[in-house]
Amino acid sequence: MKSKSLITILIIAIVGALAAAWYFMWYIPHTPAYTLKIIHQAVQDKDADEALRHIDTKSIVKNILEREGNKYIDTSNPFGKATIAAAKTFGPSLIEDVMRKYIEDPDSFKSQPSSTDSTNTAQNDDNMSMVDRLVDGRLFKEHDVEVKNIKSEDDGDTATVTVTIQNNKKNMTKDIRVLMRHLGDGTWVIYDIPDIEDLYTVTRK
């Protein structure tokens, strides 16, 4: 009787261990949210190729322009239509170049101190731009902006990752949707950020 109980316990333990191994070694690395961690780590490592492999700038620019372009450009005239067309054609490569430069050399994006700042080079956080705080790694590390929650829903081929971001200084919280599609190797690529204006608003100082 004891031997049967021992065998049962061993089977349960083995199954549990296999399930845990599958969850942490296979399932989690294959989730859309985990790809965001891959991008973050690539930025930390200054690996632009790895980061950009998971960001489809062409689709992002196309989707944003089609959804929001008429807010800023009058598309009822030929000039406006030509502007949108040019942005779709040349915008992705320009944005990708900027992203690559930022990832590989973030210090180059810091604001140059003006002559009035020469006597006081240490800017306080309230005077720093969003880009300066992002370059310094302070935007999130100083806890004025925090990621409060990440959840994702996927149907196997596409996914919506919702990132809840809170700006503690502004007492503001926004849910930012990140749309992703499966690359086929277990990882995902971002192809749209429908709430990009909210992202800008909530991460401003």
Side-chain angles (χ1 to χ4, degrees):
M1 185 70 179
K2 286 184 178 180
S3 61
K4 289 183 178 179
S5 298
L6 180 60
I7 290 171
T8 302
I9 292 170
L10 285 172
I11 291 172
I12 293 172
I14 291 169
V15 171
L18 290 174
W22 174 83
Y23 183 77
F24 288 106
M25 297 177 65
W26 191 89
Y27 176 74
I28 289 180
H30 287 71
T31 60
Y34 191 81
T35 292
L36 298 181
K37 183 177 180 180
I38 293 175
I39 296 171
H40 177 264
Q41 188 59 52
V43 172
Q44 297 297 309
D45 295 339
K46 298 185 178 181
D47 186 349
D49 288 335
E50 178 62 12
L52 291 171
R53 190 172 80 86
H54 300 287
I55 303 172
D56 183 351
T57 53
K58 185 175 182 179
S59 292
I60 291 173
V61 170
K62 175 178 176 289
N63 289 325
I64 291 174
L65 286 172
E66 289 180 351
R67 183 173 54 248
E68 302 173 17
N70 58 2
K71 290 182 183 178
Y72 310 101
I73 299 172
D74 182 5
T75 55
S76 63
N77 61 67
F79 179 76
K81 291 179 180 178
T83 301
I84 292 290
K88 285 182 181 180
T89 302
F90 302 108
S93 60
L94 291 173
I95 290 174
E96 188 167 313
D97 286 344
V98 171
M99 291 175 67
R100 181 177 295 278
K101 184 170 178 58
Y102 169 77
I103 293 168
E104 295 176 348
D105 185 17
D107 287 340
S108 65
F109 282 75
K110 285 187 177 181
S111 300
Q112 297 299 318
S114 64
S115 57
T116 57
D117 293 332
S118 59
T119 58
N120 183 20
T121 55
Q123 290 180 301
N124 63 48
D125 191 59
D126 289 336
N127 292 330
M128 292 179 71
S129 70
M130 182 177 69
V131 172
D132 284 333
R133 288 184 297 138
L134 186 60
V135 169
D136 280 351
R138 300 177 62 183
L139 185 63
F140 290 95
K141 290 182 180 178
E142 293 292 310
H143 301 296
D144 53 341
V145 177
E146 293 184 273
V147 175
K148 303 300 290 185
N149 187 40
I150 298 178
K151 63 180 181 181
S152 65
E153 299 176 356
D154 72 83
D155 61 9
D157 294 320
T158 60
T160 300
V161 178
T162 303
V163 183
T164 302
I165 297 179
Q166 179 172 299
N167 188 318
N168 295 319
K169 285 190 173 182
K170 289 179 153 187
N171 194 27
M172 177 192 299
T173 301
K174 296 282 188 182
D175 285 337
I176 310 301
R177 291 168 297 159
V178 179
L179 307 187
M180 308 177 80
R181 67 170 177 270
H182 199 253
L183 283 176
D185 63 354
T187 62
W188 300 71
V189 60
I190 299 170
Y191 70 88
D192 195 10
I193 306 173
D195 307 309
I196 196 163
E197 288 191 4
D198 285 341
L199 177 62
Y200 173 73
T201 300
V202 77
T203 53
R204 290 185 66 193
K205 63 184 179 183

